[in-house]
Amino acid sequence: MLNPPNSNQSLSGKHRNAKSDSPADRTLRIVGGEFRGHPIDWSGDPAQTRPMKDDVRETLFNLVGGWIPGKHVFDLFAGSGAIGLESLSRGAAHATFVERHFPASRLIRRNIEALDVATKCTLETCDTFYWSRQFFAKSLDHPATPWAVFVSPPWNVFTDQPADIHQLIVEFWRAMPDESLLVVESDQRFDPGTLPKPESWRVRAYPPAQLCVWRPPGAN
């Protein structure tokens, strides 16, 4: 179900320190699956929200797409909601979007309604760190199906709040059911060696982005 947005939440989303974007950079589309080619509505203002670009998102789902069907997806620091929407297009059972920026949350809601997938979505207009503390305090309410967790915060979070983001990653890594996957998107200031069991992650650089992917043991 869609939870009502809270207009008192402060600015968030995938904030980047981008100087400019071309018109092509401001066009977002679902790149695979049932809704391939469907536009994703977002503000177009990189000073507010900077979504993962289509080519990086396509590369990401080339790495993990086969593990998405049937999973419960967590799109944390959701921004435009592109990752969660892409996951639903590729067969995810449900998507939980967590985004504290009210205008961005409203656009996520609009995109969900445009795709007619509201019954498969939960939208939390809330700070991700606050939400996660409440989530882990209620372990009995956690989805029993395997998860696909996408941690894609504003990149400065990795330098400004390193303890918070590390705890978030570790808690999800520990709590995930078997056959779950976890993806961390950062810039190259983040050291993948700080991840839990760092040798078990696949790290790919797509400058300025960096993708760290943990998949179930034995996954090809």
Side-chain angles (χ1 to χ4, degrees), residues 76-137:
L76 308 180
F77 310 93
S80 68
I83 292 176
L85 296 170
E86 186 79 41
S87 298
L88 290 170
S89 180
R90 294 170 184 258
H94 196 92
T96 295
F97 302 84
V98 186
E99 171 54 51
R100 74 176 183 178
H101 181 207
F102 177 75
S105 180
R106 183 170 56 193
L107 289 175
I108 294 171
R109 178 183 296 273
R110 184 183 302 169
N111 286 316
I112 289 170
E113 292 172 348
L115 293 175
D116 194 23
V117 291
T119 58
K120 297 181 178 181
C121 297
T122 302
L123 177 58
E124 302 280 359
T125 306
C126 186
D127 174 78
T128 298
F129 294 122
Y130 174 82
W131 173 86
S132 69
R133 289 192 292 271
Q134 308 307 308
F135 176 76
F136 289 115

Side-chain angles (χ1 to χ4, degrees), residues 56-93:
V56 177
R57 185 161 26 94
E58 183 171 20
T59 299
L60 169 60
F61 280 90
N62 286 340
L63 291 172
V64 305
W67 290 91
I68 294 299
K71 286 188 166 51
H72 188 118
V73 170
F74 294 90
D75 187 355
L76 308 180
F77 310 93
S80 68
I83 292 176
L85 296 170
E86 186 79 41
S87 298
L88 290 170
S89 180
R90 294 170 184 258

